[in-house]
Amino acid sequence: MVVQVQYLRALAAFGVIFFHAFGYTTLDVVLQEKVKIGAAGVDLFFIISGFVMYLSTVDRQIGTAAFYKARLIRVVPLYWLATSLAVAIFVAAPQLTNHPSTWQHILSSYLFVAHPDPSRPDLFWPIVVPGWTLNYEMFFYLLFGLSLLLPKRAQIPNLAVTIGGLVAIGLIAHPPGIAGFYTHSLLLEFLLGLLFGALYRKGVRLDGRLCLSLSALALLSLLLLQPYFSEQSRVIFWGIPAAMLFCGSVFAKGSPMRLPIVEYLGAASYSLYLSQFFSLKVFEIAARILNLPRGLMFVLVSVTLAIIVGVLVYAFIEVPITRLLKPRARLSLQEKVSPVTSAAG
């Protein structure tokens, strides 16, 4: 296991949670704009996904069907539970939700297919809003699984051409609707992860000072470039800094410091990512009812509660379900790395 990946997963999940928590506050708009960089955790998740998919398959003979089965077992159960909870809330207490839904929207959510949000047709949010990143993940898994049908040496080049072609169509033609969703330049972040996986396997490592500089420059870039950010240029303003942070962490020479708590939180990042959609909203409703101030203390408390809930979901729901569906099997690197990434948004 590449332990630095676990640390990055924890960092990505925390960034997304902080970003969403600030959205429920009454804090200064300028401060909220700065905290938006937490959403770049999704870009980091996408890079991690490509990295892990490469390392977990390159030295193994794994067929397309087996790959899809492993991914479905890893992703579907917890997400379907979260989606079912969201549907139940929508049916029982629609006044608690900000996002009206339709049966087509709900069905698409279960199937991991992008569908316009009924309240904001320009956004492709499922009923569990953070799941929009999983629609990209599943699309990447679809393409990656199909590439496994090819000879080993042709798999990654074919995948690169396919994803590159889709992104080129998006950049040139600017297709509207769902076609625009599936040709977004965000797909390039999966390719970056594949490239980093190939370099890591070849033994590429970087000097510690260079890695530290890359990480510092990544964080500085996120802060300084935030005022110029646009969704169309996301891969530049957030994807490139995320890639720099990834390289500065994963490619460092020597053995990394072991941080068991952070490592555990990284393993729990999928549960953290999905459950925060509910826990943050519940705390916001409670704060509104109790007329509590929604400042920095609100953020700290809500984030802490979201992390506690996410860890409990991981320990008592995600892990038991995974073990039930994969009896007698230890979690491999492929299975330990969260499918989310996406992060988020």
Side-chain angles (χ1 to χ4, degrees):
M1 179 181 67
V2 184
V3 69
Q4 299 98 314
V5 168
Q6 298 290 61
Y7 300 160
L8 289 174
R9 290 171 65 204
L11 177 64
F14 286 1
V16 172
I17 294 173
F18 267 101
F19 163 63
H20 286 145
F22 267 88
Y24 288 121
T25 68
T26 55
L27 291 169
D28 182 79
V29 174
V30 175
L31 179 59
Q32 291 194 37
E33 281 295 314
K34 291 184 181 298
V35 178
K36 272 189 177 180
I37 61 173
V42 168
D43 304 78
L44 186 55
F45 273 132
F46 285 172
I47 292 171
I48 290 173
S49 184
F51 178 81
V52 172
M53 290 305 103
Y54 181 86
L55 289 185
S56 61
T57 59
V58 64
D59 293 319
R60 298 171 57 197
Q61 290 298 326
I62 179 171
T64 298
F67 174 79
Y68 286 154
K69 180 181 178 181
R71 292 293 85 207
L72 290 175
I73 288 174
R74 181 68 184 87
V75 178
V76 169
L78 189 62
Y79 185 66
W80 276 8
L81 282 174
T83 300
S84 298
L85 177 58
V87 171
I89 294 172
F90 171 72
V91 173
Q95 70 276 10
L96 297 179
T97 65
N98 297 326
H99 301 280
S101 193
T102 63
W103 71 265
Q104 298 97 327
H105 182 228
I106 292 171
L107 179 61
S108 298
S109 298
Y110 278 107
L111 296 178
F112 299 93
V113 175
H115 188 282
D117 184 293
S119 62
R120 295 191 60 180
D122 58 316
L123 297 174
F124 294 87
W125 287 345
I127 192 166
V128 177
V129 175
W132 70 266
T133 63
L134 291 177
N135 291 341
Y136 276 117
E137 287 281 351
M138 283 301 207
F139 185 55
F140 172 62
Y141 295 156
L142 173 66
L143 298 178
F144 192 93
L146 291 174
S147 74
L148 296 176
L149 296 171
L150 302 172
K152 206 72 173 175
R153 64 182 181 181
Q155 291 172 2
I156 301 305
N158 175 78
L159 195 56
V161 169
T162 301
I163 291 178
L166 288 171
V167 172
I169 291 173
L171 293 174
I172 296 171
H174 304 289
I178 293 177
F181 181 89
Y182 286 112
T183 56
H184 197 287
S185 57
L186 270 170
L187 293 172
L188 293 176
E189 294 172 354
F190 294 107
L191 279 185
L192 279 175
L194 293 171
L195 172 63
F196 294 153
L199 293 174
Y200 188 89
R201 180 172 173 268
K202 289 182 178 295
V204 173
R205 300 294 184 271
L206 303 175
D207 178 76
R209 287 172 296 182
L210 176 58
C211 288
L212 185 61
S213 298
L214 279 173
S215 299
L217 184 58
L219 296 175
L220 188 62
S221 298
L222 285 171
L223 289 170
L224 295 180
L225 295 177
Q226 177 58 30
Y228 310 101
F229 173 82
S230 69
E231 189 59 38
Q232 292 72 26
S233 57
R234 178 172 182 152
V235 71
I236 296 174
F237 290 105
W238 287 356
I240 292 177
M244 293 165 61
L245 182 61
F246 182 92
C247 291
S249 302
V250 173
F251 287 97
K253 291 180 180 177
S255 300
M257 180 185 298
R258 300 307 292 259
L259 303 170
I261 294 178
V262 181
E263 200 171 332
Y264 186 84
L265 290 172
S269 60
Y270 187 35
S271 292
L272 289 167
Y273 183 78
L274 289 181
S275 65
Q276 53 98 20
F277 174 70
F278 301 96
S279 53
L280 291 177
K281 183 63 177 178
V282 168
F283 186 67
E284 186 270 337
I285 293 173
R288 198 163 4 110
I289 293 173
L290 298 173
N291 199 28
L292 298 176
R294 284 184 282 168
L296 286 176
M297 185 56 67
F298 170 89
V299 172
L300 294 176
V301 174
S302 61
V303 168
T304 300
L305 290 176
I307 292 171
I308 292 172
V309 171
V311 168
L312 291 174
V313 169
Y314 174 70
F316 296 105
I317 298 179
E318 182 184 349
V319 170
I321 289 177
T322 303
R323 286 176 176 167
L324 179 66
L325 295 176
K326 291 186 69 65
R328 300 180 302 278
R330 294 185 62 187
L331 295 180
S332 66
L333 174 64
Q334 175 187 355
E335 291 149 349
K336 276 195 172 184
V337 174
S338 173
V340 191
T341 120
S342 233

